[in-house]
């Protein structure tokens, strides 16, 4: 089966990871998202008042969100935006490294996965604008580290490049799943609000879709020989640890 065809298939998770995610997965009920006016405005209070415009789902975050939920949203968007920036630079480095080795096939496989990451970054960039979230201040740092990680592993060989993808996507798949669980109370608050904000269930749907994409990349990496990389365990542990540190820092800075 060709790689583009594989990418269109529903991801078949590695058994161990699939079991872990299935036992912890948060699969929110999906309210239908219908673009348009977000329902009736709140009941008018007694006395003179200026009519309040309903929130515009295309440009704002719900003003009724408690501060801790607002902070959570900001962290999610900031760290995911930073993560997708990093992913784009990892794949860019991997493509360059594969081309340097004259490995056209791996370069094409990397390009196919990179295409997905461009889409993720595009969506996250729009979400950052929509929710007015400041992007990571560490962009130049992520850029250099991510490109270096991708390029170095690709220069080591195809299996090492795939081991890098496997390690990164394992951490990122779990990270998206953690975020979906953390969003659960925010979604419940939003649903109970007088002016439920459609961008929040939409955010959960986006995270779920991205999680599945990342796990699809993980499957491809394993099928393409990630586990045969020299020093696989060490490489995988080091890259996984770097990603976890990146996530920790990226949600705050
Ligand atoms: Fe991604
Ligand atoms: Fe990915």
């Amino acid at each position: 089966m060709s790689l583009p065809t594989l990418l269109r298939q529903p991801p078949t998770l590695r058994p161990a990871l699939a079991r872990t995610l299935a036992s912890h997965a948060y699969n929110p009920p999906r309210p239908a998202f219908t673009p348009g006016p977000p329902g009736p405005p709140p009941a008018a209070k007694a006395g003179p008042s200026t009519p309040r415009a309903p929130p515009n789902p295309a440009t704002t975050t719900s003003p009724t969100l408690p501060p801790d939920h607002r902070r959570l949203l900001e962290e999610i968007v900031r760290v995911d935006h930073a993560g997708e920036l990093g992913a784009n630079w990892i794949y860019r480095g991997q493509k360059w490294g594969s081309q340097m080795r004259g490995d056209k096939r791996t370069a094409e496989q990397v390009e196919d996965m990179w295409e997905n990451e461009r889409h993720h970054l595009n969506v996250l960039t729009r979400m950052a604008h929509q929710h007015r979230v400041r992007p990571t201040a560490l962009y130049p740092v992520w850029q250099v580290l991510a490109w270096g990680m991708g390029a170095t592993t690709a220069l080591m060989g195809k299996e090492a490049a795939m081991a890098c993808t496997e390690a990164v996507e394992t951490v990122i798949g779990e990270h998206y799943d953690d975020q979906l669980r953390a969003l659960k109370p925010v979604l419940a608050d939003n649903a109970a609000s007088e002016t439920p904000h459609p961008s929040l269930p939409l955010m959960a749907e986006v995270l779920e879709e991205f999680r599945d994409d990342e796990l699809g990349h993980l499957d491809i990496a394993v099928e393409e020989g990630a586990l045969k990389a020299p020093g696989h365990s060490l490489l995988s542990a080091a890259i996984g640890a770097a990603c976890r540190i990146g996530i920790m820092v990226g949600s705050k800075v």
Side-chain angles (χ1 to χ4, degrees):
M1 191 180 291
S2 71
L3 187 65
T5 311
L6 263 174
L7 278 169
R8 281 193 297 273
Q9 301 298 311
T12 345
L13 308 183
R14 274 198 302 156
L17 185 62
R19 273 196 302 279
T20 309
L21 290 175
S23 61
H24 296 293
Y26 165 57
N27 291 306
R30 295 190 180 196
F33 170 57
T34 315
K45 287 180 187 162
S49 63
T50 313
R52 198 175 55 165
N56 178 351
T59 56
T60 63
T61 301
S62 171
T64 57
L65 274 186
D68 53 331
H69 287 175
R70 166 72 203 169
R71 257 196 310 279
L72 175 68
L73 282 191
E74 281 184 16
E75 282 185 13
I76 287 177
V77 174
R78 183 175 304 117
V79 71
D80 290 355
H81 185 250
E84 295 298 345
L85 275 171
N88 273 266
W89 281 94
I90 289 174
Y91 282 110
R92 184 188 288 263
Q94 284 190 337
K95 185 173 176 183
W96 178 85
S98 304
Q99 284 170 334
M100 286 295 106
R101 279 190 305 102
D103 184 348
K104 229 173 135 187
R105 182 166 177 267
T106 303
E108 281 167 11
Q109 289 174 319
V110 166
E111 172 60 39
D112 280 336
M113 291 189 274
W114 187 7
E115 188 56 38
N116 259 192
E117 304 298 355
R118 288 190 193 102
H119 165 64
H120 294 176
L121 181 56
N122 247 325
V123 173
L124 257 311
T125 302
R126 283 186 210 172
M127 282 166 73
H129 285 303
Q130 178 186 358
H131 295 284
R132 295 181 183 150
V133 173
R134 169 185 64 74
T136 176
L138 295 176
Y139 177 55
V141 178
W142 299 143
Q143 193 178 356
V144 172
L145 293 179
W147 186 87
M149 186 192 286
T152 307
T153 50
L155 286 173
M156 286 163 67
K158 176 183 178 169
E159 284 79 16
M162 292 297 158
C164 170
T165 299
E166 179 217 359
V168 170
E169 303 291 15
T170 299
V171 173
I172 302 304
E174 288 168 354
H175 163 73
Y176 275 129
D177 217 44
D178 289 344
Q179 286 188 333
L180 282 163
R181 268 194 299 279
L183 260 180
K184 195 175 175 181
V186 181
L187 292 173
D189 272 14
N190 182 57
S193 143
E194 284 180 333
T195 52
H197 207 269
S199 68
L200 295 174
L202 190 62
M203 179 185 282
E205 285 184 36
V206 166
L207 297 185
E208 209 175 336
E209 179 196 320
F210 288 5
R211 174 197 64 190
D212 293 347
D213 285 347
E214 312 301 8
L215 294 174
H217 297 165
L218 162 63
D219 281 346
I220 291 167
V222 172
E223 282 163 21
E224 292 297 325
L227 303 179
K228 294 183 202 146
H232 171 266
S233 306
L234 191 62
L235 195 61
S236 184
I239 293 173
C243 290
R244 287 188 184 92
I245 293 171
I247 288 171
M248 216 163 61
V249 176
S251 63
K252 306 286 180 199
V253 187

